[in-house]
């Protein structure tokens, strides 16, 4: 009795032999097709009229359309008419059934996709969609939308959605965006992988869509606002921009409550409380890392900031027996430079790896110093000024010396400050170092600013600040240098324009009396630390440059902040 053809042959143990067999078989089949040999069906296709011979078995295996066609009455005919597909497109797709390949171009991809859908050639559909999206700039997004509406192709719909997520900032400015239906826009805004630099981008897109047809879209607006990560905004933004929107009052209230009352969050029903997830744009998401200890305490703590909750959590507790040291981020390490031990200044330099939480000794500075400042410029670490004597002794004075560290040469002196100073702050901007404020040898609080040019190895005076600042928070941000408060008293904030060499005051901190750190993060200016005048509140604040005011982002750590650095979130989670 003959072996049933329904039985599958056993797979050969040698896959390379099987591959060679299949290659020979398919080459033979395609040669039959190319030579029009042993064909058993012919298609008559129009525009222009053409006859396309083929093999029923091959087409039936490639497509359920052909399988059903040949099993039906119409399929018994030697010539079958196809009237709704152009002959060139049809022949290309018949070739695809044999080879898995077809010549797709920008001009024919639309027709190819429609025909592939008609003939139920799933692999050809996928190839057409992939080609179209890879050439979207030539095909145009407008035409892709029209093709998707015409074909209702789910694969194309999903690929366009992925494109919208990845290119949202560009698409939200297009005319097509204004005509998105609310369901489509809602799905986009809900995506955890929406490719935006900050949540305000999504908010501005919603406003643009809403303003295009206010009367028709007023009831739909709350659905879209609820898709935002509202806890990423500060309270002022929520009050100013979200609460006034029709139907969004409760959303704003919930978000403000979430931000200001962490203890009540389990009772607040919100759709989204975490920031958007990792995507191509935000895979480099960054956050704050602070080193906390009192000025005269040793063994500091390192805390990390959760932007979604506006809260701090302990990342590590460090054993370090110097106080009054200064820290700086270098690659994946925090460098602890100088400080005071047992009442005497030190020149020690140690590196603490954020990933492994391990220590490494680095070459010591040439001169012991404490209450100095440190910055990095062009990969080099600078230690600037400080105090050089023991506490409460007459030889303790402000230092003017500056030294620079490179891995190749270690520490070496460079040109000294014009005025010796300690508890000074420093920042780098446009290839130069700016030192700001501090105390001089006789404890005068300083307004003066000096600028170091590494190419000339010289310090020059810049315009004085409008106020004296003692160990202030400083940051370079959006083309300016900001000085925020000081170590104990001031809430004043000043902004320096390096091009004009001028200082101007901006809105003072509402809460932040004695602010300790200032950084640029997510294209915004942040201040960390300090308390209210009554001393009962400390916070993280973010500057709203457009409206010249500060908004609160959450509470500060209870302990005193010695320094703050901006680090990739991935750096803090990679060793978990």
């Amino acid at each position: 009795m003959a072996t049933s053809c329904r039985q599958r042959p056993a797979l050969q143990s040698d896959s390379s032999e099987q591959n060679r067999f299949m290659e020979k078989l398919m080459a033979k089949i395609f040669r039959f097709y190319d030579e029009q040999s042993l064909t058993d069906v012919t298609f008559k296709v129009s525009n222009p009229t053409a006859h396309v011979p083929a093999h029923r078995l091959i087409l039936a295996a490639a497509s359920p359309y052909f399988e059903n066609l040949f099993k039906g009455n119409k399929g018994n005919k030697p010539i079958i008419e196809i009237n709704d597909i152009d002959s060139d497109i049809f022949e290309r797709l018949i070739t695809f059934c044999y080879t898995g390949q077809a010549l797709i171009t920008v001009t024919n991809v639309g027709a190819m996709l429609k025909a592939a859908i008609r003939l139920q050639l799933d692999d050809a559909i996928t190839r057409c969609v992939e080609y179209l999206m890879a050439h979207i700039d030539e095909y145009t997004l407008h035409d892709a939308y029209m093709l998707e509406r015409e074909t209702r192709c789910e694969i194309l719909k999903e690929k366009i959605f992925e494109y919208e997520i990845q290119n949202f900032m560009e698409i939200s400015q297009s005319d097509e965006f204004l005509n998105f239906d609310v369901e489509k826009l809602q799905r986009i805004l809900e995506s955890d992988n929406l490719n935006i630099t900050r949540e305000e981008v999504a908010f501005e897109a919603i406003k643009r869509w809403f303003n295009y047809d206010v009367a028709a879209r007023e009831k739909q607006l709350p659905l879209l606002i609820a898709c935002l990560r509202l806890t990423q905004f500060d309270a002022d933004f929520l009050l100013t921009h979200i609460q006034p929107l029709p139907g969004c009052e409760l959303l704003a209230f919930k978000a403000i409550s979430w931000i200001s009352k962490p203890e009540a969050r389990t009772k607040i029903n919100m759709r989204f409380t975490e920031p958007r997830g990792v995507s191509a744009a935000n895979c480099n998401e960054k956050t704050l890392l602070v080193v906390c200890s009192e000025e005269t305490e040793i063994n500091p703590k390192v805390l990390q900031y959760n932007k979604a909750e506006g809260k701090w959590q302990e990342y590590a507790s460090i054993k370090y027996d110097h106080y009054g040291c200064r820290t700086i981020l270098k690659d994946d390490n925090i460098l602890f430079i100088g400080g005071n031990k047992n009442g005497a200044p030190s020149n020690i330099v140690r590196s603490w790896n954020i990933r492994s939480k391990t220590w490494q000794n680095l070459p010591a500075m040439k001169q012991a110093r404490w209450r100095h400042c440190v910055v990095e410029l062009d990969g080099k670490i600078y230690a600037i000024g400080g105090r050089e004597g023991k506490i409460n002794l007459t030889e303790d004075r402000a230092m003017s010396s500056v030294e620079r560290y490179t891995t190749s040469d270690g520490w070496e002196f460079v040109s000294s400050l014009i005025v010796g100073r300690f508890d000074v702050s420093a920042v780098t901007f446009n290839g130069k170092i700016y030192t700001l404020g501090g105390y001089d040898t006789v404890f005068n609080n300083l307004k003066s600013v000096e600028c170091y040019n590494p190419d000339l190895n010289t310090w020059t005076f810049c315009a004085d600040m409008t106020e004296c600042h003692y160990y202030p928070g400083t940051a370079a941000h959006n083309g300016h240098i900001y000085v925020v408060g000081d170590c104990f008293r001031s809430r004043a904030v000043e902004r320096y324009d390096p091009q004009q060499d001028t200082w101007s005051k901006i809105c003072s901190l509402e809460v932040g009396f004695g602010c300790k750190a200032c950084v640029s993060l997510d294209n915004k200016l942040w201040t960390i630390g300090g308390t209210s005048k009554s001393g009962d509140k400390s916070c993280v604040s973010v500057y709203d440059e457009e409206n010249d005011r500060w908004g609160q982002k959450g509470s500060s750590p209870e302990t005193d902040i010695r320094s703050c650095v901006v680090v990739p979130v991935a750096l803090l989670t990679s060793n978990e």
Side-chain angles (χ1 to χ4, degrees):
M1 182 175 176
T3 303
S4 171
C5 62
R6 295 180 182 273
Q7 292 181 329
R8 293 178 179 269
L11 292 176
Q12 300 179 34
S13 59
D14 189 338
S15 60
S16 62
E17 286 187 13
Q18 183 181 358
N19 289 338
R20 284 195 296 271
F21 172 80
M22 295 302 297
E23 289 173 2
K24 287 173 62 178
L25 180 63
M26 293 309 300
K28 191 75 171 179
I29 290 172
F30 182 69
R31 195 174 77 186
F32 287 150
Y33 170 69
D34 197 37
E35 296 174 350
Q36 299 184 12
S37 175
L38 301 179
T39 58
D40 52 4
V41 65
T42 299
F43 295 93
K44 182 181 178 182
V45 198
S46 58
N47 194 26
T49 300
H51 289 80
V52 181
H55 301 86
R56 295 172 186 265
L57 180 62
I58 299 300
L59 301 190
S63 160
Y65 169 85
F66 288 116
E67 181 180 2
N68 293 328
L69 175 66
F70 297 143
K71 287 180 178 179
N73 294 329
K74 187 178 177 181
N76 294 325
K77 297 179 181 179
I79 298 179
I80 301 175
E81 291 189 15
I82 302 290
N83 297 315
D84 52 357
I85 302 176
D86 291 349
S87 56
D88 177 68
I89 298 298
F90 185 81
E91 190 164 7
R92 290 173 190 261
L93 290 175
I94 293 299
T95 301
F96 183 88
C97 294
Y98 286 84
T99 66
Q101 298 178 353
L103 180 59
I104 305 172
T105 67
V106 171
T107 56
N108 76 12
V109 64
M112 289 279 284
L113 178 61
K114 294 175 187 177
I117 294 172
R118 170 81 171 81
L119 301 177
Q120 297 178 263
L121 291 167
D122 291 344
D123 290 336
I125 293 171
T126 301
R127 299 287 178 85
C128 288
V129 171
E130 289 175 348
Y131 180 91
L132 187 151
M133 298 309 299
H135 297 80
I136 193 68
D137 291 338
E138 301 170 70
Y139 189 80
T140 78
L141 184 62
H142 173 74
D143 289 342
Y145 282 132
M146 291 184 61
L147 184 63
E148 186 272 320
R149 286 193 289 268
E150 184 178 352
T151 62
R152 302 190 177 210
C153 175
E154 284 298 321
I155 298 175
L156 179 57
K157 181 179 179 180
E158 285 303 310
K159 288 297 181 180
I160 289 177
F161 175 72
E162 292 174 9
Y163 183 86
E164 290 164 338
I165 294 295
Q166 183 62 31
N167 299 275
F168 181 78
M169 296 178 69
E170 176 186 351
I171 288 174
S172 65
Q173 299 301 313
S174 68
D175 292 337
E176 285 84 3
F177 176 79
L178 298 175
N179 294 307
F180 281 6
D181 60 58
V182 67
E183 291 79 12
K184 178 183 180 69
L185 185 51
Q186 186 176 3
R187 185 184 178 210
I188 291 172
L189 293 168
E190 286 174 342
S191 173
D192 198 40
N193 294 317
L194 189 63
N195 190 350
I196 54 177
T197 54
R198 53 198 180 95
E199 200 64 24
E200 286 85 348
V201 172
F203 171 73
E204 292 298 331
I206 294 173
K207 276 181 54 181
R208 183 169 182 264
W209 180 88
F210 171 66
N211 290 332
Y212 184 69
D213 192 352
V214 173
R217 295 173 175 178
E218 185 171 326
K219 292 183 179 180
Q220 301 168 332
L221 182 61
L223 294 174
L224 301 180
I225 294 297
C227 297
L228 296 174
R229 280 41 175 179
L230 293 172
T231 57
Q232 300 306 295
F233 300 119
D234 57 48
D236 281 345
F237 186 95
L238 292 164
L239 286 169
T240 305
H241 298 285
I242 303 297
Q243 189 176 34
L245 297 175
C248 298
E249 298 86 354
L250 182 58
L251 291 171
F253 173 75
K254 286 182 177 181
I256 292 170
S257 300
W258 180 278
I259 294 169
S260 60
K261 300 178 180 179
E263 69 281 0
R265 287 175 180 172
T266 56
K267 302 177 182 179
I268 301 173
N269 182 22
M270 293 190 67
R271 288 191 64 190
F272 302 104
T273 58
E274 297 293 329
R276 296 185 189 272
V278 177
S279 69
N282 61 23
C283 60
N284 293 322
E285 174 76 11
K286 295 182 179 180
T287 190
L288 304 175
L289 201 67
V290 297
V291 178
C292 297
S293 71
E294 296 296 336
E295 179 67 17
T296 57
E297 287 185 352
I298 61 174
N299 299 331
K301 290 183 178 180
V302 179
L303 307 180
Q304 68 181 85
Y305 183 62
N306 184 319
K307 288 191 289 185
E309 298 183 1
K311 294 173 60 176
W312 297 86
Q313 63 189 64
E314 184 171 330
Y315 180 73
S317 184
I318 296 177
K319 291 186 177 180
Y320 190 74
D321 58 0
H322 289 59
Y323 60 89
C325 66
R326 297 297 179 250
T327 61
I328 189 170
L329 181 69
K330 177 64 174 173
D331 301 323
D332 294 347
N333 304 283
I334 298 179
L335 274 55
F336 289 72
I337 302 174
N340 195 300
K341 182 177 182 180
N342 299 326
S346 169
N347 64 349
I348 190 173
V349 180
R350 300 194 71 195
S351 173
W352 185 75
N353 187 269
I354 296 173
R355 294 181 186 273
S356 63
K357 301 180 182 179
T358 56
W359 287 99
Q360 179 182 359
N361 291 322
L362 295 181
M365 293 184 292
K366 290 184 175 294
Q367 191 167 7
R369 62 183 81 222
W370 66 300
R371 295 175 69 173
H372 49 297
C373 66
V374 292
V375 293
E376 180 182 10
L377 178 63
D378 296 332
K380 305 176 179 67
I381 305 296
Y382 290 77
I384 303 169
R387 294 171 69 172
E388 64 176 341
K390 294 184 178 180
I391 300 176
N392 297 327
L393 295 181
T394 56
E395 65 266 26
D396 184 20
R397 59 187 180 87
M399 302 171 64
S400 61
S401 70
V402 180
E403 47 188 307
R404 178 175 62 199
Y405 173 76
T406 60
T407 55
S408 56
D409 300 323
W411 291 94
E412 57 183 359
F413 285 112
V414 297
S415 182
S416 296
L417 292 165
I418 302 171
V419 175
R421 55 185 84 202
F422 65 91
D423 285 337
V424 57
S425 291
V427 66
T428 60
F429 182 83
N430 278 356
K432 296 179 181 179
I433 299 173
Y434 292 81
T435 58
L436 310 105
Y439 279 123
D440 64 12
T441 295
V442 292
F443 286 85
N444 290 317
N445 204 345
L446 302 173
K447 296 181 180 179
S448 63
V449 178
E450 298 183 41
C451 176
Y452 177 70
N453 186 327
D455 297 329
L456 302 177
N457 190 28
T458 57
W459 291 90
T460 55
F461 279 120
C462 300
D464 284 355
M465 297 180 287
T466 62
E467 290 190 11
C468 297
H469 292 268
Y470 159 55
Y471 195 21
T474 57
H477 176 72
N478 286 350
H480 294 85
I481 293 173
Y482 289 80
V483 176
V484 181
D486 64 22
C487 192
F488 291 119
R489 297 177 297 279
S490 176
R491 292 186 295 118
V493 183
E494 302 188 47
R495 178 168 58 197
Y496 177 65
D497 184 340
Q499 300 296 324
Q500 303 297 324
D501 189 31
T502 56
W503 287 91
S504 59
K505 283 194 171 183
I506 63 172
C507 177
S508 297
L509 291 171
E510 295 181 7
V511 178
F513 189 67
C515 169
K516 299 297 179 63
C518 180
V519 297
S520 181
L521 171 65
D522 297 339
N523 200 34
K524 294 181 180 180
L525 187 70
W526 297 57
T527 64
I528 301 93
T531 59
S532 61
K533 289 183 178 180
S534 61
D536 62 352
K537 190 176 184 180
S538 60
C539 77
V540 175
S541 299
V542 177
Y543 181 54
D544 179 352
E545 191 168 357
E546 181 179 351
N547 298 302
D548 187 30
R549 62 185 179 188
W550 293 89
Q552 297 179 27
K553 275 288 189 181
S555 299
S556 292
E558 295 299 323
T559 50
D560 202 17
I561 295 175
R562 303 310 333 150
S563 66
C564 177
V565 294
V566 176
V567 299
V569 173
L571 181 62
L572 305 179
T573 59
S574 60
N575 61 344
E576 292 182 356

